[in-house]
Amino acid sequence: MNALHFDSLVWHWPIAIYLFLAGVSAGAMFFAVLLKHVCLKEQAYRSGFVQAACIVAAVSVLAGLGILVLDLTKPWDFWKILVFYNPTSVMSMGVLILLIYQVFMYAWIAVVFRKPIEEWCQPRFPIVCKITTMLAKYEAGITGLLIIFSVSLGAYTGFLLSAQPRFPMLNNPVLPLLFLASGLSSGAAASLLGGVLLKGSPNGQEVRFIHRVEIPLILGEIFLIFTFFMGLVLSGGQSKVAALNAIGEGFWGLIFWFGIMGLGLSAPLAMNLFMNATSKRKFSYVAGTACLSLLGVIMLRNFVLYTGQMVVS
Amino acid sequence: MENSRRHFLKSTCALVAGVSVYPLSRDQANADTGIRINNLKYAMLHDETKCIGCNACVEACREVNHVPEGVTRLSIEQSGPYGKYPNQYYHFSRHSCQHCEDAPCVNVCPTGAAFIDKENGIVSVNADKCVGCQYCILACPYDVRFINPVTKAADKCDFCRETNLKQDKQPACVEACPTKALVFGNLKDPESELVMLLKANPTQRTKLDLGTRPKLFRITAKQGEIIL
Ligand code: SF4
Ligand code: SF4
Ligand code: SF4
């Protein structure tokens, strides 16, 4: 079987990129909220990492939606997804989550960057200041809902693939958790990368905080991947065939062992432990580790999407 | 303050969980009440022991339903030959939409373009509502859906719902079959040929373990080979 073209393949790599971007956005927003509440408080808007997280979250969710639309066979009819809803469809509910998520995302960004926004708008558009003041009153609610919706968005990327009976490897209850965890860590990585590029200090408290959270997150991901494949193998039948086909020999087996487990998870884990232990944090270390994590998550999305569609129940 | 925030978070979580689970449970409950309202439920039987693999059904379908070249709503899959010359034979089995009672394609479609006609149990596609996301093609365990290259919408067998059935005729494939291997009828009518045959013969449906409750029945021909 050709690794990239086979009969049962329905969804190609654009869907993997879409899932990746949605996960990055959810993760970046999640960590932006954490950074503000745990380390930075009112000074959050000054941090290059929070700025990067907000830019990454806003851009990637839009880019993801754009890819989703372009991948339709009738891109000009995409508005029908927004008009007609089907409560049993994960895609339909996901689009709803995506839209509500964006509302809270922009609201939260407006609250956090209130100071610079108000300074700039006061002389020009005083009306904007009224809106930000009003939003600031509901900051707790906005933050809470943003967290709920970003976690939902991260999990949705997995549910989209698992909500069908045809492919046993995808129809797996661990998949949403795995995609949520890897989405969060890709969001963290994107914020770190963006943050150091925006002249944030590679040894700042933000980096130290994210690295501390990332270590258990990566360990959790490895555990989830283990559970994912263990569950498939123990279910027997086509699930077992699918699992062994995916992580066995061949192109995708190589991607899994070297790309995902090696470069995407073990290497960043080792780098994080090293940087925590030695407190040596240089631009190149932080950026390199973040790039590896992002690459790993892109590979994971493609790996699951393609190998998942290889074996039919 | 701390307390009210926690309360707020808790109740929102409960709300989100409730909203996401409710439609699923409701759908299950409706599945059976729907059956009682009317007494029309179409199904099909393919008698593989009678099928000679002539593909007349495929051609008739293409013509009646204007199915473009390169795609098809049904195909006859051939395997074999089995046995020794001169007593060789082939296996033919029909590959087309099974009109699942609990249809994955309908459940996943974001716009409701894939739907079940409550009047008669036919699973169909509203090409206008379809955006071409291909989620239904991914979800269908029987691999029978395709994108129609002309309409760009998902397409598949609809038991000639838009064509022959509207003219009170049998589906095109059934009319065309020279050996009467295909039987179409109403499962709710105990006098129908279909129900008589289903009661009198051992029949099979595929992938029942997925819970799709398909309505394409088959009388299988002798195996010819052993697959473990
Ligand atoms: S066989 Fe496929 S297309 Fe037909 S109703 Fe079942 S899931 Fe839908
Ligand atoms: S391709 Fe069309 S019919 Fe199929 S799920 Fe998407 S919108 Fe629905
Ligand atoms: S027309 Fe009848 S005999 Fe010929 S292939 Fe179709 S089902 Fe078989």
Side-chain angles (χ1 to χ4, degrees), chain A residues 211 215 265-278 280-281 284-286 288-289 292:
Chain A
H211 277 169
I215 293 169
L265 291 169
S266 308
L269 182 64
M271 281 303 287
N272 277 338
L273 289 171
F274 167 76
M275 286 190 277
N276 257 5
T278 60
K280 277 191 199 145
R281 287 193 170 81
S284 57
Y285 290 0
V286 175
T289 309
L292 283 180

Side-chain angles (χ1 to χ4, degrees), chain B residues 167-186:
Chain B
Q167 303 160 19
D168 278 332
K169 287 198 277 188
Q170 295 268 302
C173 54
V174 178
E175 282 193 328
C177 180
T179 63
K180 303 264 173 291
L182 290 167
V183 180
F184 175 78
N186 178 7

Side-chain angles (χ1 to χ4, degrees), chain A residues 7 10-11 15 37 71-75 77-78 80-81 84-92 140-141 144-145 148-149 152 159-161 163-167 170 309 312-313, chain B residues 1 5 8-9 12-13 16 23-24 26-27 104 106-112 127-135 137-143 147 151-153 207 210 212:
Chain A
D7 281 348
V10 180
W11 276 351
I15 299 290
H37 281 260
D71 198 48
L72 301 175
T73 62
K74 301 203 263 179
D77 291 22
F78 80 92
K80 288 174 183 163
I81 301 189
F84 302 113
Y85 279 91
N86 174 6
T88 65
S89 166
V90 172
M91 184 182 283
S92 185
L145 286 166
I148 291 174
F149 277 96
S152 314
F159 278 118
L160 185 72
L161 296 184
Q164 47 73 37
R166 180 177 180 191
F167 298 108
L170 300 179
Q309 291 178 75
V312 180
S313 64
Chain B
M1 177 64 203
R5 186 185 301 175
F8 167 78
L9 275 176
T12 337
C13 285
V16 170
L24 298 173
R26 190 194 48 179
D27 198 59
V106 175
N107 290 338
V108 301
C109 177
T111 63
D128 276 340
K129 266 188 169 184
C130 175
V131 295
C133 66
Q134 311 193 44
Y135 202 1
I137 303 181
L138 181 93
C140 169
Y142 301 95
D143 190 23
I147 293 293
T151 62
K152 303 274 181 228
K207 300 192 180 181
L210 299 180
T212 48

Side-chain angles (χ1 to χ4, degrees), chain B residues 85-146:
Chain B
Y85 181 83
N87 289 322
Q88 282 183 319
Y89 59 93
Y90 290 90
H91 245 195
F92 302 106
S93 71
R94 179 182 162 116
H95 182 82
S96 69
C97 174
Q98 323 267 319
H99 296 275
C100 308
E101 285 283 275
D102 192 356
C105 58
V106 175
N107 290 338
V108 301
C109 177
T111 63
F115 68 99
I116 298 190
D117 186 336
K118 292 232 167 63
E119 296 288 306
N120 52 27
I122 293 179
V123 178
S124 191
V125 185
N126 178 342
D128 276 340
K129 266 188 169 184
C130 175
V131 295
C133 66
Q134 311 193 44
Y135 202 1
C136 55
I137 303 181
L138 181 93
C140 169
Y142 301 95
D143 190 23
V144 296
R145 301 177 73 98
F146 55 90

Side-chain angles (χ1 to χ4, degrees), chain A residues 27-301:
Chain A
M29 229 46 253
F30 187 86
F31 275 95
V33 172
L34 276 193
L35 280 180
K36 170 163 194 277
H37 281 260
V38 181
C39 334
L40 303 164
K41 310 284 180 199
E42 293 312 312
Q43 296 302 311
Y45 70 93
R46 288 180 198 273
S47 158
F49 296 93
V50 173
Q51 292 163 6
C54 292
I55 296 171
V56 164
V59 171
S60 63
V61 73
L62 278 181
L65 267 178
I67 289 179
L68 181 70
V69 168
L70 288 179
D71 198 48
L72 301 175
T73 62
K74 301 203 263 179
W76 294 110
D77 291 22
F78 80 92
W79 54 270
K80 288 174 183 163
I81 301 189
L82 308 177
V83 177
F84 302 113
Y85 279 91
N86 174 6
T88 65
S89 166
V90 172
M91 184 182 283
S92 185
M93 292 300 103
V95 168
L96 205 60
I97 289 176
L98 216 65
L99 294 179
I100 304 176
Y101 161 80
Q102 287 189 68
V103 171
F104 289 112
M105 178 183 82
Y106 286 120
W108 189 82
I109 293 177
V111 172
V112 172
F113 291 91
R114 201 175 147 205
K115 236 190 192 146
I117 292 178
E118 282 180 357
E119 269 163 24
W120 194 82
C121 290
Q122 191 62 281
R124 301 180 181 85
F125 315 101
I127 175 93
V128 176
C129 300
K130 283 211 187 103
I131 299 175
T132 49
T133 320
M134 198 191 71
L135 286 176
K137 264 193 247 157
Y138 299 105
E139 185 180 349
I142 292 173
T143 309
L145 286 166
L146 178 60
I147 286 289
I148 291 174
F149 277 96
S150 66
V151 169
S152 314
L153 181 59
Y156 148 73
T157 58
F159 278 118
L160 185 72
L161 296 184
S162 70
Q164 47 73 37
R166 180 177 180 191
F167 298 108
M169 181 172 145
L170 300 179
N171 184 4
N172 182 323
V174 182
L175 189 62
L177 284 176
L178 174 60
F179 274 23
L180 172 60
S182 72
L184 292 181
S185 77
S186 67
S191 314
L192 286 178
L193 184 61
V196 288
L197 287 176
L198 288 179
K199 307 269 179 295
S201 153
N203 208 9
Q205 51 170 336
E206 302 98 319
V207 183
R208 270 178 274 144
F209 170 74
I210 293 184
H211 277 169
R212 259 210 320 278
V213 181
E214 257 201 320
I215 293 169
L217 199 57
I218 294 178
L219 289 174
E221 264 178 79
I222 294 175
F223 175 71
L224 284 172
I225 291 181
F226 179 75
T227 316
F228 181 85
F229 284 107
M230 228 23 214
L232 287 171
V233 170
L234 294 178
S235 314
Q238 289 298 89
S239 305
K240 185 175 169 183
V241 175
L244 297 181
N245 171 59
I247 58 176
E249 286 169 17
F251 175 72
W252 289 113
L254 219 62
I255 292 277
F256 177 76
W257 291 110
F258 287 98
I260 297 167
M261 296 305 280
L263 290 181
L265 291 169
S266 308
L269 182 64
M271 281 303 287
N272 277 338
L273 289 171
F274 167 76
M275 286 190 277
N276 257 5
T278 60
S279 298
K280 277 191 199 145
R281 287 193 170 81
K282 289 196 235 156
F283 174 86
S284 57
Y285 290 0
V286 175
T289 309
C291 285
L292 283 180
S293 291
L294 285 172
L295 194 69
V297 178
I298 295 181
M299 284 192 280
L300 178 70
R301 296 288 192 271

Side-chain angles (χ1 to χ4, degrees), chain B residues 4-227:
Chain B
S4 70
R5 186 185 301 175
R6 194 174 302 155
H7 182 76
F8 167 78
L9 275 176
K10 265 191 204 157
S11 42
T12 337
C13 285
L15 187 74
V16 170
V19 167
S20 46
V21 171
Y22 172 72
L24 298 173
S25 54
R26 190 194 48 179
D27 198 59
Q28 280 306 319
N30 272 356
D32 290 317
T33 49
I35 297 171
R36 257 175 269 130
I37 305 171
N38 56 69
N39 31 9
L40 197 54
K41 184 154 305 261
Y42 287 130
M44 190 177 279
L45 170 69
H46 183 215
D47 188 342
E48 294 176 353
T49 62
K50 287 187 181 168
C51 180
I52 53 171
C54 65
N55 276 321
C57 46
V58 179
E59 290 316 313
C61 170
R62 185 177 301 289
E63 202 150 297
V64 168
N65 296 306
H66 309 291
V67 182
E69 286 299 329
V71 292
T72 183
R73 290 183 172 193
L74 85 155
S75 57
I76 299 289
E77 280 176 359
Q78 173 180 334
S79 63
Y82 303 110
K84 282 214 178 73
Y85 181 83
N87 289 322
Q88 282 183 319
Y89 59 93
Y90 290 90
H91 245 195
F92 302 106
S93 71
R94 179 182 162 116
H95 182 82
S96 69
C97 174
Q98 323 267 319
H99 296 275
C100 308
E101 285 283 275
D102 192 356
C105 58
V106 175
N107 290 338
V108 301
C109 177
T111 63
F115 68 99
I116 298 190
D117 186 336
K118 292 232 167 63
E119 296 288 306
N120 52 27
I122 293 179
V123 178
S124 191
V125 185
N126 178 342
D128 276 340
K129 266 188 169 184
C130 175
V131 295
C133 66
Q134 311 193 44
Y135 202 1
C136 55
I137 303 181
L138 181 93
C140 169
Y142 301 95
D143 190 23
V144 296
R145 301 177 73 98
F146 55 90
I147 293 293
N148 184 314
V150 177
T151 62
K152 303 274 181 228
D155 201 351
K156 63 172 197 69
C157 161
D158 62 355
F159 282 161
C160 293
R161 180 175 178 269
E162 307 291 338
T163 50
N164 278 14
L165 287 196
K166 282 201 172 146
Q167 303 160 19
D168 278 332
K169 287 198 277 188
Q170 295 268 302
C173 54
V174 178
E175 282 193 328
C177 180
T179 63
K180 303 264 173 291
L182 290 167
V183 180
F184 175 78
N186 178 7
L187 288 177
K188 295 290 178 65
D189 174 6
E191 307 297 316
S192 66
E193 187 192 357
L194 177 74
V195 174
M196 303 272 203
L197 282 170
L198 289 180
K199 283 185 178 161
N201 291 284
T203 56
Q204 278 188 2
R205 294 176 290 158
T206 45
K207 300 192 180 181
L208 288 178
D209 52 325
L210 299 180
T212 48
R213 293 149 71 206
K215 296 197 291 273
L216 178 65
F217 298 80
R218 55 189 84 231
I219 296 175
T220 52
K222 60 183 167 182
Q223 197 63 61
E225 66 176 341
I226 299 160
I227 303 170

